[in-house]
Amino acid sequence: MPPSSSRLPRPPETVEHCPVDTALAVIRGRWKGTILWLLSERPMRTSELRRRIPRISERMLIRHLQELVGDGVLDRHDAGTVPPHVTYSVSEYGRTLEPVVRALCSWGGDHLDRHTPAR
């Protein structure tokens, strides 16, 4: 059995606000994990994110970026120029999600390996 420090906290008898659901609500969305993963490398402009995620629609990309900024996970930097030059980066608060994103990435890779037929 793992040491007690690595165990999950014991859930209360009744759950009104589940911390797991709260965390997942912030990163829930078809492309939010991908956006966070890409921006963990370095800040990027909207157009670069769009190129790096070819299957995402412009509307969905903007929506996810706005939600992540609203939750304080991303910072939006507007150069105030015409044409607009907007760059997104992971905020200081968003950096606290990096271990979670790393763990999800690792688990996802293992899951892909497990479920991808050998070639």
Side-chain angles (χ1 to χ4, degrees), residues 4-18:
S4 61
S5 62
S6 67
R7 293 175 60 192
L8 295 173
R10 182 185 167 148
E13 291 299 317
T14 61
V15 178
E16 185 175 331
H17 300 288
C18 174

Side-chain angles (χ1 to χ4, degrees), residues 8-116:
L8 295 173
R10 182 185 167 148
E13 291 299 317
T14 61
V15 178
E16 185 175 331
H17 300 288
C18 174
V20 174
D21 288 341
T22 301
L24 289 175
V26 172
I27 60 173
R28 183 176 298 136
R30 172 63 181 94
W31 302 105
K32 285 185 180 180
T34 304
I35 292 167
L36 288 169
W37 183 42
L38 290 172
L39 290 176
S40 70
E41 292 182 307
R42 60 183 170 77
M44 292 183 196
R45 294 182 65 183
T46 310
S47 58
E48 184 175 5
L49 286 165
R50 179 79 174 87
R51 278 192 305 276
R52 299 275 308 263
I53 313 170
R55 295 188 343 222
I56 193 171
S57 69
E58 186 79 17
R59 181 174 176 244
M60 186 57 68
L61 175 60
I62 298 302
R63 179 199 283 173
H64 282 337
L65 289 170
Q66 288 172 340
E67 289 173 0
L68 289 165
V69 168
D71 285 327
V73 175
L74 296 183
D75 286 329
R76 181 181 188 273
H77 308 280
D78 187 342
T81 60
V82 176
H85 183 223
V86 177
T87 305
Y88 290 91
S89 61
V90 178
S91 68
E92 184 176 332
Y93 177 63
R95 295 267 174 222
T96 64
L97 268 174
E98 283 183 353
V100 175
V101 173
R102 266 196 306 277
L104 285 170
C105 187
S106 176
W107 188 90
D110 292 345
H111 185 72
L112 282 172
D113 290 346
R114 180 181 174 156
H115 293 285
T116 302

